[in-house]
Amino acid sequence: MKKITKIGILGAVFALAGCTNGTNKQYLINEKINLLTPVGAPTLGIYETILSSNSTSTSTPTSIPVELQNNNTEYNMIVFESSNALKLINAGKSDFKFLGLLTKGNFHFVGYNKSENDVPSKDDYIVSFQKGSVTDLALKYVLPSIYNENNDNIHYLNGVSQVATVLKSGLHEGNKVDWALIAEPSLHMIKQANNNDDNLENDIYEYLDVNEALKTKTNGQYDYVPQAGLFVKNSFYNENKDIVEEYLKESVSVNLDNALNHPEKIVSYLEENSVTGEDFSTKFGFSKDLIVPLQGNSKNRFGIASKDNLITGKKFISEQDIASFISLVS
């Protein structure tokens, strides 16, 4: 696994200063923290860490479970898909502790060359990703009518980027695609490409927001799909609980709040620290030009979790809550 180029030098204990509304504030990122994360939406919720020398981001998330199960891993914090990480922990295969969600689902069911008059059915050709995953289960829970008896009309790809590639042409293995499950920010980028070209028969139509559908079907009990979670090594937490809690309260909580409610502050932060578009894309996995369009005006298209959903917050989404959600949709 290759580490990305790093920005900034940490001081003896805390460093990395930011600026909010013209007032200098010392965001606390302890030099002892060493975090591993996949690129993508979760990185927006910990953007200070990603831009510090505390972080390694990777475009191959399949390598992360190896570190979760490695008792001698150099990383004491890891970001990964919450349900899969918790499976390893509950099976005694990982010595990490769950600290909370960074993202709560940014999944959308879309049509290719469809309109509001079209309704998906089990007779349609549908592409999705990660068969049997929590996301797949959530879609089946809110839209059971699209799954036939054998589920063989759902064609599963390896991930969201492959779905986006298919939606560029509307073809999968020579077959015309009717509908697809996709996530942000890939959805935004494919819509920008398809819906603004001269081809009127390749437009992407958003049929269903999975989170909103869950909220409606569960009468408000669930409005999320447990997605990326933040985990800490038990030994590090036990020996440095004050450092971990300070990091959550003074950095992660601030970052999540800005990502949810003040995305323009993130853009200003990037400008103040002279972060180039290329460097940002390498570390985060998407363009910084997407931050305000997808997060502005409380859109939260990235599916960023609230700071209250962390273990230090008032509405912590616990392991038990995630287990209950999975039980509901399974």
Side-chain angles (χ1 to χ4, degrees):
M1 188 179 300
K2 184 178 180 181
K3 289 194 176 183
I4 58 175
T5 303
K6 298 179 177 178
I7 294 180
I9 299 175
L10 292 178
V13 180
F14 296 108
L16 194 61
C19 182
T20 306
N21 293 331
T23 302
N24 288 330
K25 178 176 180 179
Q26 193 76 11
Y27 292 121
L28 306 180
I29 300 179
N30 193 278
E31 63 177 357
K32 292 183 179 180
I33 291 172
N34 192 359
L35 180 141
L36 172 66
T37 180
V39 297
T43 58
L44 193 64
I46 49 172
Y47 61 88
E48 289 178 319
T49 310
I50 302 301
L51 293 171
S52 76
S53 58
N54 298 75
S55 170
T56 298
S57 55
T58 176
S59 58
T60 55
T62 52
S63 63
I64 294 180
V66 175
E67 298 298 334
L68 278 168
Q69 297 176 83
N70 179 8
N71 290 334
N72 297 315
T73 180
E74 64 180 296
Y75 304 105
N76 46 45
M77 287 196 180
I78 290 180
V79 176
F80 195 59
E81 198 280 325
S82 58
S83 62
N84 284 328
L86 288 171
K87 282 182 182 177
L88 293 174
I89 292 170
N90 292 332
K93 296 180 179 180
S94 178
D95 189 32
F96 276 76
K97 175 182 178 64
F98 181 58
L99 294 177
L101 292 174
L102 296 179
T103 54
K104 300 168 64 175
N106 44 34
F107 306 108
H108 301 263
F109 191 72
V110 304
Y112 183 89
N113 192 28
K114 301 292 182 182
S115 72
E116 60 185 11
N117 297 319
D118 295 306
V119 177
S121 75
K122 62 184 180 181
D123 297 319
D124 292 328
Y125 197 98
I126 299 166
V127 293
S128 186
F129 55 93
Q130 297 176 349
K131 183 176 182 179
S133 66
V134 174
T135 306
D136 185 32
L137 294 173
L139 179 63
K140 191 172 185 178
Y141 178 75
V142 299
L143 204 58
S145 61
I146 67 171
Y147 290 77
N148 65 24
E149 185 176 351
N150 298 315
N151 293 354
D152 56 10
N153 64 319
I154 313 291
H155 305 273
Y156 292 95
L157 308 182
N158 289 333
V160 173
S161 60
Q162 288 85 355
V163 175
T165 299
V166 165
L167 286 176
K168 289 179 182 178
S169 65
L171 294 174
H172 174 246
E173 298 180 347
N175 298 290
K176 179 182 175 295
V177 172
D178 293 299
W179 306 91
L181 180 68
I182 193 169
E184 293 287 15
S186 293
L187 172 56
H188 179 83
M189 291 186 284
I190 193 65
K191 281 187 68 180
Q192 287 291 100
N194 285 29
N195 294 15
N196 293 310
D197 62 14
D198 294 329
N199 184 356
L200 300 180
E201 297 183 349
N202 71 342
D203 286 3
I204 306 299
Y205 167 66
E206 292 186 51
Y207 179 80
L208 178 142
D209 179 319
V210 175
N211 281 18
E212 288 298 321
L214 281 166
K215 183 177 181 179
T216 298
K217 190 163 183 176
T218 63
N219 295 316
Q221 183 178 3
Y222 297 102
D223 62 349
Y224 63 87
V225 177
Q227 199 175 9
L230 177 62
F231 296 84
V232 62
K233 200 170 184 180
N234 275 313
S235 57
F236 182 78
Y237 181 79
N238 293 336
E239 295 170 9
N240 304 279
K241 186 176 180 180
D242 55 336
I243 290 175
V244 174
E245 292 185 351
E246 189 165 31
Y247 169 63
L248 291 177
K249 291 178 181 178
E250 300 297 334
S251 182
V252 180
S253 291
V254 173
N255 287 188
L256 288 173
D257 187 59
N258 283 344
L260 269 176
N261 304 308
H262 311 287
E264 68 284 350
K265 289 185 179 181
I266 301 178
V267 175
S268 296
Y269 184 90
L270 298 175
E271 292 173 350
E272 290 161 4
N273 287 277
S274 302
V275 180
T276 67
E278 182 180 359
D279 199 27
F280 182 91
S281 296
T282 299
K283 293 171 171 62
F284 289 76
F286 55 89
S287 170
K288 66 179 182 179
D289 294 335
L290 297 178
I291 296 173
V292 172
L294 292 178
Q295 289 300 110
N297 300 316
S298 302
K299 293 177 184 176
N300 195 22
R301 299 284 290 188
F302 276 90
I304 301 296
S306 166
K307 63 182 180 181
D308 287 336
N309 298 145
L310 297 172
I311 196 170
T312 50
K314 300 176 182 178
K315 298 180 180 179
F316 175 47
I317 297 175
S318 67
E319 301 95 318
Q320 290 74 25
D321 294 326
I322 292 173
S324 296
F325 174 86
I326 295 173
S327 177
L328 173 70
V329 300
S330 296

